[in-house]
Amino acid sequence: MSSLLGVTGWNGRGAVQPWGEIEAELGTDLPSDYKQLCQAFGVGEFSREVSVLCADETGVLDLPRWWRVLLESDSSDGSFAPYRIHVPGTTGGLIPWGGARSDDWFFWQVTSGAVDEWPVLAMQVDVQEWSRYEMTATEFLHRILTDRGFGPHSVGRSAFGPFFEPV
């Protein structure tokens, strides 16, 4: 988290998040680094390219709202094939946590392992291509903001460098 705060120049804002309610609805705990990310940054946009879903009173970037919408529209041969959106009480499904203006979506894959070890799955919607990353959401976010060579999801090309704008 400190590396992400450092590269964006953000000093954190202590955004209150109703984790108990969110996790109860999803039927699972969420990774601790993600909770720290939402608390430190709150709702906003990184480098005018990437947004992270947190609790959002406006509903625009609200994690539970996006999860419900995706769950209702999911089917075995739908947009997320060969994956499915997470159903409480199961493993293998996806929980959305962010996306990019380039129409990339970022998810965790719920596994039977430790929550803090869930892999990040990123989808390029326009070509229906998936990438799997064995790293936390904050590590993934740091890489796509700073590493121009980091796969198809990098937004590290901004002349202004990584920054954060709250909503």
Side-chain angles (χ1 to χ4, degrees), residues 85-99:
I85 298 301
H86 169 71
V87 174
T90 66
T91 59
L94 305 176
I95 296 176
W97 63 263

Side-chain angles (χ1 to χ4, degrees), residues 100-112:
R101 287 189 182 206
S102 60
D103 212 14
D104 291 355
W105 285 73
F106 311 133
F107 301 88
W108 294 289
Q109 184 176 30
V110 177
T111 67
S112 58

Side-chain angles (χ1 to χ4, degrees), residues 12-158:
R13 71 181 195 194
V16 176
Q17 301 287 310
W19 296 123
E21 294 171 29
I22 293 171
E23 292 173 330
E25 183 172 355
L26 294 172
T28 184
D29 291 340
L30 292 171
S32 58
D33 77 295
Y34 164 75
K35 292 179 184 180
Q36 293 170 4
L37 175 67
C38 285
Q39 288 170 225
F41 289 92
V43 177
E45 196 170 50
F46 292 87
S47 300
R48 293 192 181 135
E49 297 275 344
V50 178
S51 298
V52 174
L53 303 175
C54 298
D56 178 12
E57 293 175 3
T58 70
V60 174
L61 296 172
D62 188 59
L63 170 68
R65 177 183 166 274
W66 276 103
W67 170 74
R68 284 190 303 273
V69 166
L70 296 176
L71 182 61
E72 290 171 10
S73 66
D74 193 21
S75 64
S76 61
D77 61 347
S79 300
F80 305 105
Y83 303 101
R84 299 292 305 266
I85 298 301
H86 169 71
V87 174
T90 66
T91 59
L94 305 176
I95 296 176
W97 63 263
R101 287 189 182 206
S102 60
D103 212 14
D104 291 355
W105 285 73
F106 311 133
F107 301 88
W108 294 289
Q109 184 176 30
V110 177
T111 67
S112 58
V115 168
D116 288 333
E117 295 175 6
W118 286 351
V120 169
L121 273 69
M123 178 190 197
Q124 290 178 275
V125 174
D126 59 343
V127 293
Q128 295 287 303
E129 188 168 297
W130 290 94
S131 302
R132 180 185 179 99
Y133 301 93
E134 300 294 332
M135 59 181 62
T136 66
T138 52
E139 289 170 320
F140 178 82
L141 185 55
H142 185 269
R143 291 284 304 273
I144 66 172
L145 291 172
T146 62
D147 184 349
R148 291 177 184 211
F150 186 64
H153 307 289
S154 178
V155 297
R157 62 195 170 280
S158 171

